[in-house]
């Protein structure tokens, strides 16, 4: 019986981390869409935070520009709070990037 309870807790924790991974991926896509039209990192970060219910204190947002693309990378430290399991594996670092064509009118050559 204790083994089954521990197994169930591991499954629940895995599902929570998988949910966070999907939310990080969505946040990166939203950030890339905003970065395509807005040069401000603050605007991108605000859009990423608004697009996801994740803890903003655990989110890190980066914006890069290269030629005609903008890339946004979102990093999140997913908490492992399920009893016993969290102590065994610790927090999980998640990262996702998304790129979009740069649509700003004031870019060089645009």
């Amino acid at each position: 019986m204790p083994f089954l309870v521990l197994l169930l807790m591991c499954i629940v924790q895995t599902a929570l981390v998988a949910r966070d991974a999907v939310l990080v991926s969505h946040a990166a896509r939203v950030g890339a869409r905003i970065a395509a039209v807005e040069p401000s990192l603050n605007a991108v970060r605000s859009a990423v935070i608004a697009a996801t219910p994740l803890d903003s204190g655990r989110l890190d947002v980066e914006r890069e520009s290269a030629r005609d693309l903008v890339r946004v990378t979102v990093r999140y430290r997913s908490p492992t709070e399920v009893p016993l399991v969290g102590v065994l594996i610790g927090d999980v670092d998640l990262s996702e990037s998304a790129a979009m064509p740069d649509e700003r009118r004031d870019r060089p050559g645009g």
Side-chain angles (χ1 to χ4, degrees):
M1 186 67 170
F3 175 75
L4 291 176
V5 170
L6 183 61
L7 181 63
L8 180 60
M9 290 175 155
C10 288
I11 291 170
V12 167
Q13 185 61 67
T14 301
L16 291 172
V17 171
R19 178 204 60 154
D20 288 351
V22 169
L23 291 172
V24 168
S25 178
H26 172 70
R29 288 191 306 270
V30 168
R33 284 195 303 266
I34 296 301
V37 296
E38 175 64 48
S40 166
L41 178 60
N42 288 335
V44 173
R45 181 167 172 70
S46 295
V48 166
I49 290 170
T52 181
L54 297 173
D55 179 5
S56 62
R58 292 175 166 262
L59 273 173
D60 181 38
V61 180
E62 294 177 9
R63 181 189 188 281
E64 302 171 39
S65 294
R67 296 191 182 193
D68 292 337
L69 288 177
V70 290
R71 178 177 304 279
V72 172
T73 301
V74 176
R75 290 185 177 80
Y76 182 69
R77 189 163 185 86
S78 180
T80 53
E81 298 171 340
V82 174
L84 296 175
V85 178
V87 175
L88 294 174
I89 62 173
D91 291 351
V92 178
D93 293 325
L94 302 172
S95 178
E96 186 68 41
S97 294
M100 293 277 175
D102 191 346
E103 297 178 12
R104 291 179 294 140
R105 305 244 187 269
D106 60 343
R107 72 174 197 263

